């Protein structure tokens, strides 16, 4: 059985609340789980104590048994000092989209035309 330590969503619409659970990876996100090992409430301020609660001993035990944390839970564990920080590299994240590049090019062309028009007007006024 492949175990995952992941988030299970609860709460009302537009008011998320997550449980950190150990579950079979084949079960649905909000479905059956084996054990609840923490909670995460993203609506609270980042410095609030109740925003993230984890039972680190239980999580370590489950990881020793082969449970794999998801990306988000891995980040929580890295911040808690349980796991080593991974260097992440997503070079495409910083690249602007095609539409943005087109807008920037149009803006640059308009700026050049405006400067040329100003220079021409300045030359005419001097002559």
């Amino acid at each position: 059985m492949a175990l995952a330590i992941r988030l299970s969503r609860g709460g009302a619409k537009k008011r998320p609340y997550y449980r950190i659970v150990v579950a079979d990876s084949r079960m649905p996100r909000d479905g059956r789980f084996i054990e609840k090992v923490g909670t995460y409430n993203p609506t609270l301020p980042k410095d609030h104590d109740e925003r993230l609660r984890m039972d680190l001993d239980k999580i370590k035990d489950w990881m020793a048994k082969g449970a794999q944390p998801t990306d988000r839970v891995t980040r929580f564990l890295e911040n808690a000092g349980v796991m080593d920080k991974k260097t992440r590299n997503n070079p495409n994240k910083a690249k602007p989209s095609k539409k943005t590049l087109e807008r920037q090019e149009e803006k640059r062309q308009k700026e050049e035309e405006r400067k040329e028009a100003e220079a021409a007007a300045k030359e005419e006024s001097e002559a």
Side-chain angles (χ1 to χ4, degrees):
M1 175 173 19
L3 297 174
I5 302 173
R6 64 182 179 198
L7 297 176
S8 175
R9 191 181 194 280
K13 185 167 70 168
K14 308 269 186 180
R15 301 286 298 161
Y17 183 83
Y18 296 94
R19 289 181 291 205
I20 301 171
V21 297
V22 178
D24 184 353
S25 63
R26 296 170 291 190
M27 290 294 136
R29 178 193 71 182
D30 301 333
R32 188 170 68 201
F33 59 89
I34 299 168
E35 185 176 9
K36 176 183 164 186
V37 293
T39 60
Y40 172 57
N41 188 352
T43 58
L44 294 176
K46 291 190 179 194
D47 59 347
H48 198 278
D49 293 337
E50 297 290 321
R51 182 177 170 96
L52 178 64
R53 292 233 171 216
M54 294 186 292
D55 189 343
L56 297 177
D57 293 332
K58 286 183 182 180
I59 291 173
K60 288 177 187 176
D61 290 342
W62 280 108
M63 289 176 65
K65 295 176 186 175
Q68 296 294 315
T70 58
D71 292 337
R72 179 54 50 190
V73 175
T74 300
R75 296 242 176 156
F76 293 154
L77 294 174
E78 287 173 357
N79 291 338
V82 175
M83 297 180 74
D84 295 331
K85 288 197 182 252
K86 282 195 265 182
T87 56
R88 293 174 177 84
N89 184 16
N90 185 356
N92 294 326
K93 184 176 182 181
K95 291 182 182 175
S97 66
K98 288 181 183 178
K99 214 170 196 180
T100 305
L101 290 173
E102 290 172 3
R103 279 192 218 118
Q104 289 174 350
E105 181 64 26
E106 287 176 11
K107 188 175 180 181
R108 189 182 58 77
Q109 287 177 354
K110 286 181 183 178
E111 185 67 24
E112 286 177 2
E113 290 173 2
R114 185 185 62 79
K115 285 182 180 178
E116 288 174 6
E118 285 178 359
K122 189 175 182 182
E123 287 177 12
E124 287 180 12
S125 65
E126 288 177 358

